[in-house]
Amino acid sequence: MAAAVVANGKKKLEQIGPKIGVISSPTNPMVTPLLTDLYQFTMAYAYWKDGKHNERAVFDLYFRKNPFGGEYTIFAGLEECIKFIAHYKLTEDEIAFIRKSLPPSCEDAFYNYLRGIDCSDVEIFSIPEGSVVFPKVPLMRIEGSIAVVQLLETALVNLINYASLVTTNAARHRFVAGKSKLLLEFGLRRAQGPDGGVSASKYCYMGGFDATSNVAAGKLFGIPLRGTHSHAFVSSFMSLDEITERSLKHLDSPKVCKDFVCPVKTWLTKLKRSRLLGGIFSETNQSELAAFTSYGLAFPGSFLALVDTYDVMRSGVPNFCAVALALNDLGYRAVGIRLDSGDLAYQSCEARKFFQTIEKEFGVPGFGKMNITASNDLNEETLDALKKQGHEVDSFGIGTHLVTCYAQPALGVVFKLVEINNQPRIKLSEDVTKVSIPCKKRCFRLYGKEGYPLVDIMT
Amino acid sequence: MAAAVVANGKKKLEQIGPKIGVISSPTNPMVTPLLTDLYQFTMAYAYWKDGKHNERAVFDLYFRKNPFGGEYTIFAGLEECIKFIAHYKLTEDEIAFIRKSLPPSCEDAFYNYLRGIDCSDVEIFSIPEGSVVFPKVPLMRIEGSIAVVQLLETALVNLINYASLVTTNAARHRFVAGKSKLLLEFGLRRAQGPDGGVSASKYCYMGGFDATSNVAAGKLFGIPLRGTHSHAFVSSFMSLDEITERSLKHLDSPKVCKDFVCPVKTWLTKLKRSRLLGGIFSETNQSELAAFTSYGLAFPGSFLALVDTYDVMRSGVPNFCAVALALNDLGYRAVGIRLDSGDLAYQSCEARKFFQTIEKEFGVPGFGKMNITASNDLNEETLDALKKQGHEVDSFGIGTHLVTCYAQPALGVVFKLVEINNQPRIKLSEDVTKVSIPCKKRCFRLYGKEGYPLVDIMT
C-alpha cells in the first residue's frame, strides 16, 4: 500500500509515541466502545461461544463509488480512528449495559472476556489521511482477532464515512472556486448535530478551506476563525443616538476623535453629494448606519459589515463606506463587506465599482480593493455559475451545502472480511456490485516519469 | 402559543425542578458555549462596548419551508436546547480562547462580563417537542439580554435543525410503512459523525421507529436494541467441523441435545427430499450452514439469520430453516430472517411460501409467520414501491437514507430578532422569502368540533 503501518494496537502505538506523539482520546467523548451496532456484540458472543473469537481475521475498509458524481475521493478520518482504537476499553458500566441488552442465557464468562479486550493485537495498515483515493482500493486494512475487529467496525466506518465525504466536498468547492479565493466554512448551525458541525470544520479545512466560523473547532484544531455580525445586530439598532461610547483613538498617534459619529455623518453627506455616487442612493437606513458605526467603534482594525439587511446599494454599501472612510481618517483600514442575499454577481460588481469610484474621487489608496465576501446557500454549482457570470467576490462563506454534503449526504464505506486464518473469504450477493474481492491485498500507486500518478494497482 | 413556558433560565428551571426533574447536561459533551459562530462573540463585544448588551430582545426560531417536499414538520431538539441553556457557563479556558480569537484591542472588562454570563434571565416559550409544526410559526421564542441570546443562537439552531429534520423523516417513513410494520433504525455507520448517529437514533424513535441497532443510543435513551449478525460472520466460517461447542439444552426440560449439528443436518436432508421444497435448492453453502448453526447455538431463543451472503433461496433460507427446525425440536422458536440485497419484494414472497410450506408439510405451527426483515438502502420511495409490488416483509431496517436525510439533508431553521426594548424589528431582504415577520407573537392552533386541528393562527 502507498502507506505505512499507522497503528499497531495501543502498546506499539505507545512505543512509537515519540514519533507520532501521545495519542489523545477521541475528539468527541461520545466515541466509546458502545458506539457500535448491537450485532457486533451478538456476533462477539457467538464467536466466543464457539471458541472462534481469537481467529486472526483481515478486513478491508473501502467504498464502492466516488461521491458527487465525481472521479475522486479524499480519504479522511484516520486520526480519529486511531484515537478510538488506542483508547478502546469497555468500562464496567458499559459491560453491565451489554449484559442487559443480550439474552440472559449468555454466559457470564463472556463478560470477563469483554472486560479484557483491548486493541493491542490489532494492526491497521492505511493510506495516509488526506490522500486522493479511488473506489474498491482498501483505504484501511484491519487485522486482529475476529471478535475484536468486528467490535471496531461500526465506529471506524462512521468515522471515515462522513470525514471522507465532507473533505471531498470541500476539495471540490476549492477546485471550482480557484486557488485565489478565500473559502470560509459557515456550516455549524445547519450541520447534522453538534459534532457534524465540529468535524465538518476540521475536514473542510483539510479539504482546502481557509477558515471557519465555528469557535469550538478553532479551539480544538487551531483552524483560523472568521466572523463579523448578523442581520439581528443591524436591526437591533434604532438610530445614531443610541451610540453612547463615541471616542476612538487614532491608530498611530495619541490623538483621540471624541465623537466618531461626526466624521461618519460627514462622509455620508460627501458620498451623497458626489457627482459619481450621489445618484445611487438618497437616504440610507439609520439603524443600519448606527449598527455599522457601533461595530466600527468596537473593531476599528477589522471592520467588516453585512450590508444586505435593508438594501445593498441604496443603504448597506454607502453606510459601510461612510464608516470605512471615517476609520481611514484615523489610520484604520476597513476589511470589507459581506453579501448574504440577492444576485451576488451583480451586487459584487456594483459594490466594487462604488469602492473604486471612492478610491479615485477621494484619493483613498486601496479602497477599491475592499474585500467582498458572499454567502447565502452557496454550493459547487452556484460557485461555478458565479464564475461564468463574472463577479467581484474575494471570499465565499459556505454552509449548508458544504457541511451536510447536500448533493450526496452519505458515502458508502464498507468493511468486509477478506481473510480468516490465512484463508481468503468472499461475500457473494444478488447485487454484483456488492461482491467483495477476497484476500489480503497490497496496493501500489504508480507514478510516471514526470511525477504524476498514473494508476493504482492491487495485488 | 399552543405551548407552555418550558424553560425560564436556570434558576426558574430549578424551581420547577420537581416537575421536570433535575436538568442533566447536554447529551454530547461537545455542546458547550464555544459551539457557536465567532460573530456571536464579536457582536457581544460590540453590544457590550456600546452599553447595549443588556437590552431586552425577543428572537423567533422558525423555518421557512417543510422538508422533503412535504406538508408538515415534527419539532424536535427542545430537550437538548434546555440542557444547553441550563448549563450555560463559560470556563476560564474558554474565555482565554475567546480572548485569543478577538483583536487585542478588545477591553479586559469584557471578559469579566463574559465570566458572569448565565441564562438566568433567558425565557424560552416553546411548542412542545414532538408536535406537528408548520413554516413561519415560531417553534421557540427566546427572550433575554440581546448579547446573551445571540450567544445561544448557533447552538440552538444546530440542535433543532437536524433533530426536527430527522424526526420528520422518520415520521414520513412510518407513514409510508404503515402502523403494523416494525421499523428499525440501522444508520449509525453512515451517519454524519458519531452524534449524527446517536441523535438520529433518538429522533427516529421519537418519529415513530421501534428500535435501533445503536448500542450507545440504547444506553443513553432507553431505546430498544436490535441486531443479529453480518455477512462477515457468515463468511468467517468454513464448515460444520469448526463448531466445537455443540450441546444445547432443551428449553423446557433438563434434557440436553449433545450434538446440535446432527438434527440440523437431518432437517436439511428432510427439506431437500421434500416433494414441495426439494426442487428449490440442492447443495447449500456449508460455511453459511455452519455460521447459522453456531449462531443458533449461541442464541437459541432469538435466532435470526442474515440469509443473502451467498444465495437467498438456494442456500440462505433452506439453511436457516434447518437450524430453525432443529431449534424448534428443542422447544425454541426462531425469530426469522433478514434480506439485505436483491429484489426484496420477490425474495420475501418466496421465503414466505417456503416457510408456509414447511408449516403445512411438517406440521410446525406458526412457522409460516416467521419474521422477515428487509434492509439495503431503503427509503420512503422504496418502501412505497415495495408496498405497490406486494411483499411479505414484517420489519424494515433503514439506515443511510433515514439518518442522513438523503432526500433533503438540511432544514433551514432561522433565528430572527423580532423585538428589542418592546420595539418591533424587521429584517428586509432582496429575497422576499427572507423578510422576517416583526413583533412578539402569540400562536394558537384551532381545533374543530371533532377534535381535529384546523389551522394555526399567529397574532
Side-chain angles (χ1 to χ4, degrees):
Chain A
M1 222 172 274
V5 176
V6 177
N8 197 353
K10 194 176 178 182
K11 282 210 175 119
K12 293 198 186 159
L13 277 172
E14 281 168 2
Q15 282 167 16
I16 50 169
K19 201 168 161 206
I20 61 170
V22 175
I23 296 169
S24 56
S25 46
T27 301
N28 186 344
M30 294 175 85
V31 179
T32 69
L34 291 198
L35 192 76
T36 190
D37 294 304
L38 180 68
Y39 79 0
Q40 310 292 9
F41 287 109
T42 55
M43 285 192 281
Y45 180 73
Y47 287 134
W48 176 85
K49 182 102 173 72
D50 201 35
K52 202 176 151 63
H53 52 294
N54 283 329
E55 289 183 7
R56 190 88 186 155
V58 181
F59 284 80
D60 280 350
L61 184 149
Y62 60 99
F63 61 95
R64 297 185 181 119
K65 209 170 160 225
N66 285 314
F68 312 115
E71 299 295 332
Y72 67 94
T73 299
I74 313 286
F75 171 54
L78 178 62
E79 185 189 2
E80 295 296 332
C81 290
I82 293 175
K83 289 176 174 180
F84 169 63
I85 291 172
H87 291 268
Y88 193 96
K89 193 84 198 162
L90 284 152
T91 65
E92 282 307 314
D93 183 45
E94 288 168 342
I95 290 170
F97 182 74
I98 297 161
R99 188 192 287 268
K100 249 175 57 186
S101 306
L102 296 183
S105 59
C106 290
E107 297 168 33
D108 273 357
F110 172 65
Y111 301 103
N112 282 332
Y113 161 67
L114 287 184
R115 214 163 261 133
I117 286 179
D118 63 22
C119 293
S120 52
D121 81 331
V122 174
E123 283 181 300
I124 295 188
F125 298 79
S126 176
I127 289 179
E129 186 154 16
S131 303
V132 174
V133 291
F134 301 98
K136 292 181 190 157
V137 178
L139 307 173
M140 294 165 76
R141 185 172 85 217
I142 298 99
E143 302 190 22
S145 327
I146 188 159
V148 174
V149 177
Q150 288 262 247
L151 287 174
L152 304 177
E153 172 181 11
T154 310
L156 297 188
V157 173
N158 176 288
L159 292 168
I160 296 297
N161 237 326
Y162 176 60
S164 299
L165 184 70
V166 73
T167 306
T168 308
N169 202 20
R172 293 175 63 91
H173 280 77
R174 166 56 72 196
F175 186 79
V176 175
K179 284 182 188 170
S180 66
K181 300 296 171 193
L182 208 65
L183 293 183
L184 316 172
E185 177 271 311
F186 283 174
L188 177 57
R189 67 188 59 198
R190 299 285 164 79
Q192 297 201 347
D195 88 356
V198 172
S199 51
S201 305
K202 171 177 176 175
Y203 296 116
C204 287
Y205 191 54
M206 190 182 287
F209 270 58
D210 298 291
T212 179
S213 65
N214 180 345
V215 184
K219 182 163 191 291
L220 281 164
F221 312 116
I223 304 171
L225 290 173
R226 288 300 175 98
T228 53
H229 65 79
S230 68
H231 296 113
F233 181 81
V234 175
S235 47
S236 78
F237 284 81
M238 305 281 171
S239 78
L240 286 165
D241 300 340
E242 284 175 65
I243 301 181
T244 49
E245 176 56 71
R246 293 175 171 216
S247 71
L248 185 60
K249 202 186 89 48
H250 284 240
L251 178 64
D252 298 317
S253 84
K255 273 202 293 181
V256 172
C257 164
K258 282 195 182 144
D259 184 0
F260 181 67
V261 172
C262 268
V264 169
K265 279 185 178 169
T266 310
W267 269 113
L268 193 60
T269 311
K270 276 195 211 171
L271 295 176
K272 218 182 299 180
R273 289 189 186 150
S274 146
R275 197 175 44 83
L276 293 167
L277 302 169
I280 297 172
F281 68 102
S282 49
E283 286 308 310
T284 62
N285 186 292
Q286 290 301 293
S287 75
E288 183 179 62
L289 183 63
F292 291 179
T293 306
S294 165
Y295 202 76
L297 278 160
F299 298 101
S302 53
F303 178 56
L304 197 157
L306 175 62
V307 294
D308 72 332
T309 305
Y310 301 106
D311 187 304
V312 171
M313 291 311 298
R314 275 178 294 190
S315 183
V317 168
N319 278 338
F320 164 78
C321 290
V323 177
L325 289 162
L327 286 172
N328 186 65
D329 289 345
L330 306 183
Y332 297 101
R333 182 163 279 200
V335 174
I337 59 168
R338 178 159 73 94
L339 302 166
D340 189 42
S341 54
D343 182 338
L344 300 172
Y346 174 77
Q347 288 176 358
S348 67
C349 294
E350 290 301 300
R352 178 69 66 215
K353 274 190 250 164
F354 202 97
F355 297 148
Q356 287 169 341
T357 305
I358 288 177
E359 172 161 356
K360 273 193 214 154
E361 189 167 343
F362 299 101
V364 190
F367 205 92
K369 293 210 172 63
M370 198 63 75
N371 181 287
I372 301 177
T373 298
S375 47
N376 185 28
D377 264 2
L378 295 174
N379 60 29
E380 243 189 279
E381 282 70 44
T382 50
L383 288 184
D384 197 45
L386 282 171
K387 206 152 90 180
K388 282 173 187 150
Q389 284 171 67
H391 66 81
E392 285 291 338
V393 176
D394 305 294
S395 320
F396 293 101
I398 313 183
T400 313
H401 288 265
L402 176 68
V403 304
T404 64
C405 299
Y406 212 94
Q408 183 186 321
L411 179 66
V413 165
V414 296
F415 192 84
K416 293 290 168 197
L417 178 70
V418 293
E419 231 181 74
I420 186 160
N421 296 330
N422 299 316
Q423 296 293 311
R425 304 310 290 158
I426 187 169
K427 181 206 164 258
L428 299 174
S429 174
E430 309 263 329
D431 299 343
V432 180
T433 56
K434 286 181 128 189
V435 174
S436 65
I437 304 173
C439 291
K440 196 188 281 194
K441 299 155 196 80
R442 298 182 66 201
C443 303
F444 301 92
R445 177 159 297 174
L446 303 190
Y447 289 80
K449 273 186 192 162
E450 292 80 13
Y452 292 105
L454 299 175
V455 69
D456 285 4
I457 288 183
M458 264 193 299
T459 61
Chain B
M1 222 172 270
V5 176
V6 177
N8 195 353
K10 195 177 179 181
K11 283 216 175 113
K12 293 199 187 158
L13 276 171
E14 280 169 2
Q15 282 165 15
I16 51 168
K19 202 169 159 205
I20 61 168
V22 174
I23 297 169
S24 56
S25 46
T27 302
N28 186 342
M30 295 175 84
V31 179
T32 69
L34 290 197
L35 192 76
T36 190
D37 295 305
L38 180 67
Y39 78 0
Q40 311 292 9
F41 287 109
T42 55
M43 285 192 280
Y45 181 72
Y47 287 134
W48 175 86
K49 182 101 173 70
D50 201 32
K52 203 176 149 63
H53 52 295
N54 282 329
E55 289 184 7
R56 190 88 186 157
V58 181
F59 283 80
D60 281 349
L61 184 150
Y62 61 97
F63 60 96
R64 297 186 181 118
K65 206 166 163 233
N66 285 313
F68 313 116
E71 298 296 333
Y72 66 94
T73 299
I74 312 286
F75 171 53
L78 177 63
E79 185 190 2
E80 294 297 333
C81 290
I82 293 175
K83 289 176 173 179
F84 169 63
I85 291 172
H87 291 269
Y88 193 96
K89 192 84 198 159
L90 283 152
T91 66
E92 282 307 313
D93 185 43
E94 288 167 342
I95 289 171
F97 182 74
I98 297 161
R99 189 192 287 267
K100 249 176 56 187
S101 306
L102 295 183
S105 59
C106 291
E107 296 168 33
D108 272 359
F110 172 65
Y111 301 102
N112 282 332
Y113 161 66
L114 286 184
R115 215 164 260 132
I117 286 179
D118 64 22
C119 292
S120 53
D121 82 331
V122 174
E123 284 182 299
I124 295 189
F125 298 79
S126 175
I127 289 178
E129 185 154 14
S131 303
V132 174
V133 291
F134 301 97
K136 293 182 189 155
V137 178
L139 307 173
M140 292 165 77
R141 185 172 87 217
I142 299 97
E143 302 190 21
S145 327
I146 188 159
V148 174
V149 177
Q150 288 261 245
L151 288 174
L152 304 177
E153 171 180 11
T154 309
L156 296 188
V157 174
N158 176 288
L159 292 169
I160 296 297
N161 236 326
Y162 176 61
S164 298
L165 184 71
V166 73
T167 306
T168 308
N169 203 18
R172 293 176 63 92
H173 280 76
R174 166 56 74 196
F175 186 79
V176 174
K179 284 182 188 172
S180 65
K181 301 296 173 193
L182 210 64
L183 292 183
L184 316 172
E185 178 271 310
F186 283 175
L188 177 57
R189 69 187 59 196
R190 299 283 165 80
Q192 297 201 347
D195 87 356
V198 172
S199 50
S201 305
K202 171 178 175 175
Y203 296 115
C204 288
Y205 191 55
M206 190 182 287
F209 271 58
D210 298 290
T212 178
S213 66
N214 180 344
V215 184
K219 182 162 191 292
L220 282 164
F221 311 115
I223 304 171
L225 290 172
R226 288 300 175 94
T228 52
H229 66 78
S230 68
H231 296 114
F233 181 82
V234 174
S235 47
S236 78
F237 284 82
M238 305 283 172
S239 78
L240 286 165
D241 301 340
E242 284 175 63
I243 301 181
T244 48
E245 176 58 69
R246 294 176 170 215
S247 72
L248 184 60
K249 202 186 88 49
H250 286 238
L251 178 64
D252 298 317
S253 83
K255 276 203 291 181
V256 171
C257 164
K258 282 194 183 147
D259 184 0
F260 181 68
V261 173
C262 268
V264 169
K265 280 186 176 165
T266 311
W267 269 113
L268 193 60
T269 310
K270 275 195 210 173
L271 295 176
K272 217 181 302 180
R273 289 189 187 149
S274 146
R275 195 173 45 81
L276 295 166
L277 302 171
I280 297 172
F281 68 100
S282 51
E283 286 309 310
T284 62
N285 185 292
Q286 291 301 291
S287 74
E288 182 179 59
L289 184 62
F292 290 178
T293 307
S294 165
Y295 202 75
L297 278 160
F299 297 101
S302 53
F303 177 58
L304 196 156
L306 176 62
V307 294
D308 72 332
T309 305
Y310 301 104
D311 187 304
V312 171
M313 290 311 298
R314 276 178 292 191
S315 184
V317 168
N319 279 339
F320 163 78
C321 290
V323 177
L325 288 162
L327 285 172
N328 187 66
D329 290 344
L330 306 183
Y332 297 100
R333 180 163 279 199
V335 174
I337 60 168
R338 179 159 72 96
L339 302 167
D340 189 42
S341 56
D343 183 339
L344 300 173
Y346 174 78
Q347 288 176 358
S348 67
C349 294
E350 291 300 300
R352 179 68 68 214
K353 275 191 249 163
F354 202 96
F355 297 148
Q356 286 170 339
T357 307
I358 288 176
E359 172 161 356
K360 273 193 213 152
E361 188 168 344
F362 300 101
V364 190
F367 205 92
K369 294 207 172 62
M370 197 63 76
N371 181 289
I372 301 177
T373 298
S375 47
N376 187 28
D377 265 0
L378 296 174
N379 60 28
E380 245 189 278
E381 282 70 45
T382 50
L383 288 184
D384 197 47
L386 282 171
K387 207 151 89 178
K388 283 172 185 151
Q389 285 171 66
H391 66 81
E392 286 290 338
V393 175
D394 306 293
S395 319
F396 293 101
I398 312 182
T400 313
H401 288 265
L402 176 67
V403 304
T404 63
C405 299
Y406 211 95
Q408 183 187 321
L411 179 66
V413 165
V414 296
F415 192 84
K416 294 290 167 197
L417 178 69
V418 292
E419 231 181 76
I420 187 160
N421 295 331
N422 299 316
Q423 297 293 311
R425 303 312 291 159
I426 187 170
K427 180 204 164 260
L428 300 175
S429 174
E430 309 263 330
D431 300 343
V432 180
T433 57
K434 286 182 131 191
V435 174
S436 64
I437 306 174
C439 292
K440 196 189 279 193
K441 299 155 196 82
R442 298 181 66 200
C443 303
F444 301 92
R445 179 158 295 173
L446 304 189
Y447 288 81
K449 273 187 192 164
E450 292 80 12
Y452 291 106
L454 299 175
V455 70
D456 284 5
I457 288 185
M458 264 193 300
T459 62

